[in-house]
């Protein structure tokens, strides 16, 4: 026999909204989360937008995070690079990580490194100007550097034919652990450079037969 009584079914419990005035997430932990998720360097202006912090608060958060990493003897550390911050492995672990990430075809050859060095110190620079300095054609080196994202087109030179200018990228700064191009090692003086040359090379320089001099 059916009952006339109405059966009451309890509603599932719902999550309660966070209480007003609750403490915001720890800024150092929030910074760590963003940098960990990003992997690549995150510029300061982007961190300010993501975290809703002022520039001085970003600096404070970075200091707090670095202190926390040191306190727990973390294998990670903060690095300022390419106009931003990045969470990276400490240098003492590089040898171990190289075994994980070593890929032979990703290593730059000597000619490619020479081309990259010229671009880094003389940028923006055209292909023809690089070839004049090196004395050889550089198509393969240039293509490899573009493929790796270490250099990019940086406009065109105001000259006949309007040749393409090349410059380094943020990926170059990241790869070599540089905060900016100002951190590039100083070039040797003419005297220091001459001290490393053989007598026959000095004779060529005096005779004006070495390109780029």
């Amino acid at each position: 026999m059916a009952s006339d009584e109405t059966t009451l079914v309890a509603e599932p419990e719902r999550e309660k909204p966070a209480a007003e005035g609750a403490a915001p997430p720890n800024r150092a932990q929030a910074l760590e989360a963003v940098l960990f998720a990003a992997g690549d360097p995150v510029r300061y202006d982007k961190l300010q937008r993501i975290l809703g912090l002022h520039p001085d608060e970003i600096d404070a958060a970075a200091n707090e995070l670095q202190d926390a990493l040191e306190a727990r003897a973390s294998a990670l550390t903060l690095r300022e690079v390419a106009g931003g911050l990045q969470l990276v492995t400490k240098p003492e672990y590089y040898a171990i990580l190289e075994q994980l990430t070593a890929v032979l075809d990703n290593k730059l050859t000597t000619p490619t490194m020479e081309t990259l060095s010229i671009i880094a110190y003389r940028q923006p620079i055209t292909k023809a100007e690089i070839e004049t300095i090196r004395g050889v054609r550089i198509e393969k080196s240039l293509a490899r550097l573009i493929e790796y994202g270490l250099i990019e087109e940086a406009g065109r030179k105001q000259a006949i034919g309007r040749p393409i200018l090349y410059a380094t990228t943020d990926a170059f700064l990241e790869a070599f652990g540089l905060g900016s191009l100002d951190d590039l090692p100083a070039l040797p003086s003419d005297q220091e450079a001459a001290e490393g040359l053989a007598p026959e090379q000095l004779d060529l320089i005096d005779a004006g037969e070495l390109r780029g001099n």
Side-chain angles (χ1 to χ4, degrees):
M1 184 175 177
S3 171
D4 291 331
E5 293 179 6
T6 302
T7 302
L8 298 178
V9 179
E11 290 187 7
E13 225 177 276
R14 297 179 181 176
E15 288 186 11
K16 295 180 179 179
E20 289 186 13
N26 178 283
R27 62 187 181 186
Q29 293 174 348
L31 176 61
E32 182 178 15
V34 170
L35 296 179
F36 178 82
D40 294 328
V42 183
R43 298 184 67 86
Y44 283 102
D45 55 352
K46 190 171 183 180
L47 286 172
Q48 291 169 36
R49 291 197 302 272
I50 294 172
L51 299 174
L53 299 176
H54 295 295
D56 56 340
E57 292 177 309
I58 294 292
D59 290 337
N63 290 332
E64 291 168 11
L65 175 55
Q66 185 61 47
D67 289 343
L69 293 171
E70 294 297 334
R72 64 178 185 250
S74 174
L76 303 178
T77 187
L78 274 183
R79 181 174 71 171
E80 188 172 358
V81 59
L85 292 172
Q86 184 180 23
L87 201 59
V88 298
T89 308
K90 288 181 177 178
E92 53 263 40
Y93 297 101
Y94 286 178
I96 297 174
L97 294 179
E98 281 180 354
Q99 299 177 46
L100 175 67
T101 60
V103 180
L104 290 178
D105 61 357
N106 278 351
K107 291 185 177 178
L108 299 179
T109 62
T110 299
T112 304
M113 275 298 300
E114 290 175 355
T115 299
L116 179 58
S117 297
I118 292 170
I119 295 172
Y121 283 99
R122 299 287 294 272
Q123 62 186 305
I125 188 171
T126 68
K127 173 177 172 289
E129 289 168 338
I130 300 169
E131 290 179 336
T132 297
I133 295 171
R134 288 206 56 216
V136 295
R137 301 188 68 82
I138 62 163
E139 283 87 355
K140 290 183 179 179
S141 294
L142 209 58
R144 182 61 59 88
L145 292 171
I146 293 173
E147 177 187 349
Y148 289 161
L150 296 174
I151 65 169
E152 63 185 357
E153 294 184 10
R156 292 182 175 271
K157 188 171 184 176
Q158 298 299 318
I160 297 175
R162 292 179 56 78
I164 297 171
L165 290 165
Y166 294 95
T168 56
T169 64
D170 283 350
F172 164 78
L173 297 176
E174 179 184 350
F176 290 90
L178 302 172
S180 70
L181 292 175
D182 293 335
D183 295 330
L184 283 169
L187 289 172
S189 64
D190 292 343
Q191 181 178 352
E192 290 172 333
E195 289 174 355
L197 297 177
E200 56 270 22
Q201 291 175 308
L202 292 173
D203 291 341
L204 288 174
I205 292 176
D206 291 337
E209 295 180 23
L210 282 184
R211 292 177 181 266
N213 291 287

